[in-house]
Every structure is written in structure tokens, then in C-alpha cells.
Amino acid sequence: IQLTQSPSSLSASVGDRVTITCRASQGINNFLAWYQQKPGKAPELLISAASTLQSGVPSRFSGSGSGTDFTLTIDSLQPEDFATYYCQLLNSYPSFTFGPGTKVDIK
Amino acid sequence: EEQLVQSGAEVKKPGESLRISCKGSGYSFVTYWITWVRQMPGKGLEWMGRINPSDSSTNYDPSFQGHVTISLDRSISTAYLQWSSLKASDTAIYYCARHFRNYDILTRQFYFYMDVWGEGTTVTVSS
């Protein structure tokens, strides 16, 4: 199963609403996670099972989707949200594939 | 606090061997798989493989099978990633992460996500 993300990068302003899409090459139910990675840092889990927000993650982040099409939405982008975002398959043994990433930078 | 602490940066020559480590603390180490992720310079994340601390069973991505070995020492809550003969193309940051298992009632399937991450180990291979 392959994952694609769109866009590969985007420029946005503080306060903007940002939407990132992840598409699977075949249906994966809701077995998808989203991670945030800031430069020089390890990734951090934002969302599991397509829409379950991890403890401590701000509520401006939300995930949706099922089957092949998934979305990560950031409402009212904050300065600390400028980062690269990855989606990942959660039960696709033998590989828990990551998407190629979407870089969000400042307009 | 649940955490994974990784060993420090390494600089090696092609053909040398290497083992890097990932020590868990603040939780029951044997309860959760430990997984390894590669990030080559300026590139995305690649899942390499994982190990189950309860029985030392391993799974590898086909791309990494035979090129690396994942092992552990349960007595010191530490997982390892090792190479027998490094190549320049192994230059990357390597992250370990806890692979948390959950169960979906509707589909009756398990799924895993990486909820605790180490800080990463930078490996540089250069002659």
C-alpha cells in the first residue's frame, strides 16, 4: 500500500486554516496516523486512527477520513505549527509506510 | 515520564560495524514493541523494522531486511539497531519509537502507532 500527500509544501500565514490530504492506494479503514516534525527534532504523534487526537495536542488540529482519503486540518495556524507533517499506515504489515510529507512554512 | 533515550552521534568509515541503542524508562518496557525509523539527510521518514521485547520477535521492512539487525537486552530495557558493514548510504538520523498497540472493535484488527520517540541518533559514514 502506498501513501501520497498533497500538497508537498504550502505557505500560509498565522491564523490561516490549513488542510493537508493523504491518499492510500487501497482502502485502509481508519488505520492512519499524523505526525508533526519540526526541524532538528524527532517527530511527534498528533492523531491516531484517522481522527483520535493525542493527549496534549491542541484542539486546532483535527483529522478525518476513512478508506482511501484522509485529511489533517489545522484551524488558525500558530507560529509553532510551521513544520513538516507525515501520515502513516497503522496496520499494513510488513511495512508501516509513511507518506512523503507536507512542509508548512511561513508566507 | 515515559521516554526513550538514544545513544550519541557516530562517525564511521565504510565497512565498519556499528550498534546504536535506545533505552526505555518510565513504563513497562516489555509491554510495547520498539520500532526504528530512518531519516536520510533532507528526506522523509522510513519505517525500518521493530522488535517485541516480550519475546524478541522481529519484523523488518523488505527494504531493510538483511541490511540491519534489531535486537534487545530486556534486563536493561534497551533495544539496538546494528550494522555489520556500513555504507555511505547509511548516513542518516535513526529514531526509535514505542509502537503502541490498539484494537479496533469494528474491524476486529490491531493497529500500531508511534507514541513515544527517542531524540534520534545521527550516523555519519564517510571515508
Side-chain angles (χ1 to χ4, degrees):
Chain A
I1 302 174
Q2 304 299 317
L3 293 177
T4 57
Q5 287 184 236
S6 59
S8 57
S9 64
L10 65 91
S11 295
S13 300
V14 173
D16 284 353
R17 186 177 199 224
V18 169
T19 299
I20 299 168
T21 297
C22 180
R23 177 164 291 172
S25 58
Q26 57 185 271
I28 58 170
N29 293 296
N30 66 337
F31 298 133
L32 189 96
W34 291 96
Y35 300 85
Q36 176 193 67
Q37 186 180 32
K38 297 178 182 179
K41 299 294 186 181
E44 293 186 3
L45 177 66
L46 297 175
I47 289 170
S48 64
S51 61
T52 302
L53 198 67
Q54 292 303 113
S55 175
V57 175
S59 58
R60 63 180 179 273
F61 290 91
S62 64
S64 65
S66 184
T68 59
D69 295 315
F70 300 86
T71 299
L72 172 69
T73 300
I74 311 172
D75 285 321
S76 188
L77 197 68
Q78 297 301 299
E80 61 267 29
D81 301 336
F82 293 97
T84 300
Y85 295 86
Y86 296 92
C87 56
Q88 189 200 19
L89 299 174
L90 299 187
N91 80 336
S92 61
Y93 179 81
S95 183
F96 296 88
T97 304
F98 288 93
T102 296
K103 184 177 181 181
V104 177
D105 60 22
I106 302 173
K107 182 183 290 184
Chain B
E1 179 192 4
E2 300 168 328
Q3 62 178 347
L4 295 170
V5 177
Q6 297 187 229
S7 50
E10 302 275 0
V11 179
K12 292 289 189 178
K13 291 180 167 48
E16 293 185 330
S17 63
L18 174 65
R19 189 178 76 169
I20 62 175
S21 66
C22 169
K23 182 176 176 59
S25 63
Y27 73 97
S28 173
F29 185 74
V30 297
T31 301
Y32 306 95
W33 293 72
I34 293 291
T35 194
W36 288 93
V37 173
R38 183 176 77 175
Q39 188 166 40
M40 299 178 75
K43 302 298 184 182
L45 305 173
E46 300 174 273
W47 186 78
M48 301 176 70
R50 64 177 184 170
I51 188 164
N52 185 343
S54 68
D55 63 6
S56 298
S57 59
T58 53
N59 301 141
Y60 293 91
D61 181 282
S63 299
F64 292 95
Q65 180 89 46
H67 296 287
V68 296
T69 302
I70 298 172
S71 61
L72 64 82
D73 185 335
R74 204 173 294 115
S75 68
I76 56 172
S77 301
T78 299
Y80 302 98
L81 178 66
Q82 67 182 66
W83 296 259
S84 59
S85 181
L86 287 160
K87 303 175 184 178
S89 57
D90 293 317
T91 295
I93 300 172
Y94 294 88
Y95 295 102
C96 65
R98 190 174 76 171
H99 218 187
F100 189 95
R101 187 179 81 166
N102 212 336
Y103 183 70
D104 183 85
I105 296 174
L106 288 177
T107 61
R108 301 184 203 174
Q109 295 180 60
F110 289 104
Y111 61 98
F112 295 82
Y113 50 84
M114 299 167 190
D115 67 333
V116 178
W117 290 71
E119 72 272 37
T121 296
T122 299
V123 174
T124 302
V125 184
S126 175
S127 54

